Amino acid sequence: MIINRALALLLLASSAKAAPFLPASTLRYEVTPQGLLEDCRSAKKRAESALESVARMPAEARTFDNTPWALDCINSELSDETASDAFLKYVSLSSSVRDAGNECETLLGQFAVEVYSREDLYGAIKAYAAKGDIPSGEAKRLLDKQLLDFKRSGLELPAARRREVLELRKKIVELESSFSKNINEYKDFALFSKEELEGMPEDFVSRLERVDDKYKISLDYPDYNPFMDNAANPAARRVLEGKFNNRAALQNISILADV
């Protein structure tokens, strides 16, 4: 998810028309796991309510703004409102907050699958398209993409097959979340001699933890990226690169096979 927008997109009013631009939600590092999940679920409920307004609108009242554009805005607003919650999966110092962030990310991913599996929303988009007053340019591109997304979600299949596709896609979201969580939580490091740190700035070397006469380089980005950019020893870079690219491999091989 990933999740680093500077401005929120247009917020929908109850009429499904767009409101002025609003600032994006700020990162809340001090949130509790319970507070994070409550915030995430509340944002999802608001999105569900807004989608219901779009779905129930009479066909004759449909316009680009209150149907395709409204659907896009609802999805974007939900993403912006929950950006901080999902982002904490990757950066929080608290393992329980990271777990809550992972649960939020999974919830949102499955909700996205559900949105494009809804017959009423697909019918709403098709009802607008059937009116024939489709704008050109980016607006037409958005409409075409939405229609394609619904079709790819199985909306042209028989009901039983649609349900199968829905469950498979939601399962894939779970597996993807587990895959990324395993990488995020994985801890490993490489040990290098002072000679193997040639090319690294002194302030980088001076902050490193020592293990006997070796220097510990973790796989975290503040260690990995500077080392790969600056270390002059190709063998040392190869060692760290190999460890980095094999993060959580033992846990994730089976998950990847399931996906």
Side-chain angles (χ1 to χ4, degrees):
M1 204 181 252
I2 256 100
I3 312 165
N4 188 23
R5 295 175 180 169
L7 291 175
L9 290 178
L10 297 175
L11 180 67
L12 291 177
S14 58
S15 63
K17 289 187 177 292
F21 277 98
L22 298 173
S25 59
T26 56
L27 287 171
R28 302 179 298 278
Y29 288 104
E30 301 304 318
V31 68
T32 64
Q34 181 181 358
L36 187 155
L37 288 172
E38 287 176 354
D39 181 72
C40 187
R41 291 165 182 155
S42 295
K44 175 177 173 284
K45 287 182 180 178
R46 290 192 294 274
E48 288 173 334
S49 178
L51 289 171
E52 285 298 318
S53 296
V54 173
R56 291 196 303 265
M57 189 178 303
E60 62 273 11
R62 296 202 176 277
T63 66
F64 175 80
D65 285 344
N66 65 28
T67 305
W69 180 234
L71 175 60
D72 192 60
C73 287
I74 292 167
N75 290 331
S76 296
E77 181 64 22
L78 176 61
S79 177
D80 287 330
E81 287 184 352
T82 56
S84 177
D85 299 327
F87 185 60
L88 288 176
K89 166 185 176 176
Y90 301 94
V91 301
S92 176
L93 297 178
S94 165
S95 61
S96 58
V97 171
R98 293 197 302 273
D99 287 344
N102 184 71
E103 185 174 340
C104 175
E105 187 178 78
T106 303
L107 177 72
L108 297 173
Q110 292 185 334
F111 179 67
V113 169
E114 292 168 358
V115 167
Y116 279 93
S117 299
R118 287 181 54 167
E119 291 183 69
D120 55 354
L121 289 175
Y122 186 35
I125 297 296
K126 289 199 296 185
Y128 166 71
K131 298 182 74 171
D133 58 347
I134 302 170
S136 59
E138 291 88 348
K140 184 178 185 304
R141 168 63 178 159
L142 175 63
L143 177 63
D144 291 344
K145 183 68 167 60
Q146 288 175 341
L147 289 169
L148 182 61
D149 286 344
F150 278 108
K151 290 179 182 178
R152 286 176 169 171
S153 295
L155 268 296
E156 297 292 339
L157 296 174
R161 293 289 287 164
R162 286 203 303 271
R163 288 192 294 270
E164 183 181 358
V165 170
L166 174 61
E167 293 308 311
L168 285 172
R169 295 183 72 219
K170 291 173 73 173
K171 180 61 176 177
I172 287 173
V173 169
E174 289 183 11
L175 293 170
E176 288 174 339
S177 293
S178 297
F179 189 97
S180 66
K181 180 183 178 182
N182 287 340
I183 291 176
N184 191 51
E185 298 292 328
Y186 186 74
K187 299 299 178 187
D188 196 7
F189 58 88
L191 296 174
F192 298 111
S193 66
K194 183 64 181 293
E195 292 72 27
E196 289 174 310
L197 298 181
E198 179 187 354
M200 300 307 300
E202 187 56 40
D203 60 347
F204 178 93
V205 176
S206 63
R207 70 167 175 76
L208 295 176
E209 181 181 342
R210 298 282 293 273
V211 179
D212 297 326
D213 61 341
K214 300 281 190 175
Y215 292 81
K216 182 177 178 180
I217 305 289
S218 76
L219 304 184
D220 296 334
Y221 289 110
D223 280 3
Y224 170 77
N225 284 334
F227 190 86
M228 296 305 298
D229 287 343
N230 296 286
N233 187 313
R237 294 197 308 272
R238 188 176 297 113
V239 167
L240 195 66
E241 178 76 355
K243 285 179 170 288
F244 185 84
N245 285 331
N246 279 285
R247 288 170 297 163
L250 292 178
Q251 303 100 303
N252 278 346
I253 286 174
S254 61
I255 293 178
L256 185 61
D258 287 343
V259 172

